[in-house]
Amino acid sequence: MIPVQGMGGLRVAVLGLGRSGLSAARALAAGGAEPLCWDDNPAARAAAEAEGFECLELTKAGAFDNIARLIVSPGIPHLYPTPNPVVAAALAAGVPVDNDIGLFFQSFATSEWNTFDVAPRIVAVTGSNGKSTTSALIHHILEHAGRNSQLAGNIGRGVLDIEPAPSGGVVVLELSSYQTDLARSLTPDVAVFTNLSPDHLDRHAGMGGYFAAKRRLFAEGGPDRAVIGVDEQEGTFLAGQLTEGAVDDRVIRVSVERKLTGPGWQVFARKGFLSEYRNGKQVASIDLRNIAGLPGSHNHQNACSAYGACRSLGLAPKVIEAAFHSFGGLPHRSQTIGEKGGVRFVNDSKATNVDSAAKALAAFKNIRWICGGLEKEGGLDGLQEPSASVRKAYVIGREAAGFAMQLSVEAEVCTTMQAAVAAAIKDAEEGDVVLLAPAAASFDQYDSFEKRGDDFARLVKEHLSAD
């Protein structure tokens, strides 16, 4: 645990008692603060009280008297589309609003660091797609290299649940826009921006607000080195804002769409090969084509981002390349479940928006595509070109018929995962890939994309084990 520093003896309100909220309450108490907890769910309050925490109804008049700070869980809106009433009450009372990420950055460094040979470092990864894979890949490379590494944030453990870092330790954080938007303290040593595509637009009042939430990690975080995907105009703009000139190697530009040239530090992937250039000269090259855990252009982008971050930490190209080959990928992200009769089954349930689904479709050929769910803003137009690899779509979700009508490929309305998997198996021929890449959220039928992916994997495994 990371005890919260600087709040000893203060009363701190905690709103939302899920994983991050309870973790924050424990870390506050460990640091000598008095956490006062609230959640609209009585079961969540009961769980907090069972741990000995006091619950205080934060909607009552005067609830924020003598409260030093309000800690808000990521799923609770603080500004758009409308502020949660508790957040609004805190702001009206002049109480600062923060989250567990802010508490972590405020508390990570301790006086013990004065005795360390090498100060611990934080690598923070944000962006629309690829955050989880990039974060997990950086963590995997560091462990492969024998470096002490912990993975936390939006993946793995809660940020305040990790262990205090030893000398030379590295903490790899995956951070969502919800987390970067509100954190009062952001001080990563290395920050990574993978890419940007429309997502969570209601929460950020549009694309500009969404980008602004991501940008805070860099503009306010002031990392020593920034690894920036420049295949969208926002990334190009961000890289330009952070650099002092063309030869400034504090910014590492990343692309999977073109060769990057110039005197700076560049990492790009073309035709399956990762290349690193510095000062206009090639430093290293890695063949990504046969790395099973990193299929497709979108994973090549993840590889480039992870490579740039690890090079910033002093790792050699050959060490990084060896670690790539032992990376097994993440569940629900281009995860191969198995193969039978020449048909491959791939779970990419994490493809919850159009852009991530398009990248998954571009990674394979002869696709039997299972898609659908709770459609997000912006429609499905971005799926027209990648759909060229699709032989047929099998649409799930409560609004499956409406979803299917927007597709440019032959589509069968299945509604349920069980029906979609059965239909895809029935139609599949040798050389086909049955791919779950929903291009939609899961909440119309499942509690999470993980539950959706688990259901797909369960049905596929039943098929694989059948005679």
Side-chain angles (χ1 to χ4, degrees):
M1 179 186 295
I2 305 292
V4 173
Q5 297 185 53
M7 308 198 78
L10 300 178
R11 302 170 80 236
V12 180
V14 179
L15 177 62
L17 299 174
R19 183 185 74 162
S20 66
L22 278 177
S23 174
R26 296 182 193 112
L28 284 162
E34 180 186 355
L36 301 168
C37 303
W38 184 251
D39 193 297
D40 291 337
N41 184 344
R45 297 198 299 270
E49 288 173 337
E51 291 195 33
F53 295 120
E54 179 183 350
C55 286
L56 173 68
E57 188 171 349
L58 297 175
T59 55
K60 288 186 175 180
F64 283 97
D65 293 348
N66 300 314
I67 296 291
R69 194 175 298 187
L70 172 64
I71 306 304
V72 179
S73 293
I76 298 173
H78 56 272
L79 184 57
Y80 301 113
T82 55
N84 179 279
V86 173
V87 176
L91 294 172
V95 174
V97 180
D98 202 351
N99 60 16
D100 62 329
I101 303 301
L103 294 179
F104 168 79
F105 277 106
Q106 170 183 321
S107 307
F108 184 56
T110 68
S111 58
E112 292 181 3
W113 288 24
N114 294 328
T115 65
F116 290 172
D117 294 327
V118 180
R121 311 201 53 198
I122 297 172
V123 179
V125 181
T126 195
S128 295
N129 299 309
K131 298 187 300 295
S132 296
T133 297
T134 299
S135 301
L137 183 55
I138 293 169
H139 173 63
H140 173 78
I141 295 166
L142 289 166
E143 287 197 320
H144 175 88
R147 299 280 292 273
N148 180 282
S149 177
Q150 299 184 77
L151 181 63
N154 212 37
I155 184 176
R157 305 166 69 185
V159 291
L160 294 168
D161 289 334
I162 67 172
E163 301 302 320
S167 176
V170 181
V171 174
V172 183
L173 301 180
E174 179 197 340
L175 299 181
S176 72
S177 58
Y178 293 0
Q179 294 169 312
T180 58
D181 196 20
L182 192 58
R184 295 177 66 85
S185 179
L186 288 167
T187 53
D189 298 284
V190 180
V192 180
F193 178 88
T194 58
N195 51 57
L196 198 76
S197 61
D199 205 0
H200 309 304
L201 300 187
D202 59 335
R203 180 66 178 265
H204 298 292
M207 197 68 175
Y210 179 48
F211 174 55
K214 302 287 189 185
R215 180 181 172 275
R216 288 192 74 242
L217 182 64
F218 302 84
E220 299 185 30
D224 294 333
R225 183 153 276 132
V227 181
I228 309 291
V230 295
D231 286 336
E232 293 87 30
Q233 62 183 4
E234 291 88 354
T236 300
F237 176 78
L238 180 59
Q241 282 200 308
L242 296 174
T243 187
E244 292 295 330
V247 298
D248 186 354
D249 68 358
R250 293 175 301 171
V251 176
I252 303 175
R253 291 170 172 81
V254 167
S255 176
V256 290
E257 293 185 356
R258 64 190 188 278
K259 177 180 179 179
L260 298 177
T261 60
W265 196 346
Q266 333 274 1
V267 180
F268 59 89
R270 295 183 69 208
K271 299 180 179 180
F273 285 86
L274 179 154
S275 297
E276 177 189 1
Y277 274 70
R278 296 189 73 172
N279 299 319
K281 296 180 179 179
Q282 187 171 12
V283 175
S285 177
I286 298 174
D287 186 351
L288 301 173
R289 294 173 298 176
N290 296 317
I291 298 178
L294 297 168
S297 176
H298 61 303
N299 275 310
H300 293 176
Q301 183 180 59
N302 299 334
C304 288
S305 297
Y307 179 94
C310 290
R311 290 289 284 141
S312 296
L313 296 173
L315 272 64
K318 290 295 183 184
V319 172
I320 299 172
E321 180 178 8
F324 280 171
H325 284 279
S326 59
F327 181 65
L330 289 179
H332 315 297
R333 298 162 177 87
S334 295
Q335 176 194 18
T336 296
I337 303 300
E339 186 172 325
K340 185 175 183 179
V343 178
R344 183 178 176 186
F345 296 86
V346 178
N347 169 19
D348 204 329
S349 183
K350 185 61 171 66
T352 59
N353 58 41
V354 167
D355 185 66
S356 55
K359 289 175 178 176
L361 292 173
F364 304 99
K365 296 180 179 179
N366 302 321
I367 299 170
R368 303 285 176 177
W369 177 29
I370 298 177
C371 58
L374 189 62
E375 188 178 338
K376 295 187 176 181
E377 290 184 36
L380 305 178
D381 290 346
L383 293 170
Q384 304 307 318
E385 185 176 339
S387 295
S389 298
V390 175
R391 301 191 67 181
K392 185 177 177 180
Y394 306 82
V395 187
I396 64 173
R398 294 178 185 173
E399 304 297 330
F403 196 99
M405 289 179 64
Q406 299 181 64
L407 301 178
S408 60
V409 299
E410 179 186 356
E412 179 176 338
V413 176
C414 298
T415 306
T416 67
M417 184 69 75
Q418 183 174 8
V421 171
I425 289 172
K426 180 176 179 292
D427 293 344
E429 301 172 353
E430 184 175 354
D432 286 353
V433 174
V434 176
L435 171 67
L436 171 64
S442 62
F443 303 122
D444 59 333
Q445 292 183 312
Y446 298 94
D447 291 339
S448 65
F449 74 84
E450 292 96 340
K451 295 289 187 183
R452 177 172 60 190
D454 289 342
D455 195 22
F456 171 78
R458 175 185 62 82
L459 293 164
V460 168
K461 288 175 181 177
E462 288 178 359
H463 166 67
L464 296 176
S465 62
D467 293 334

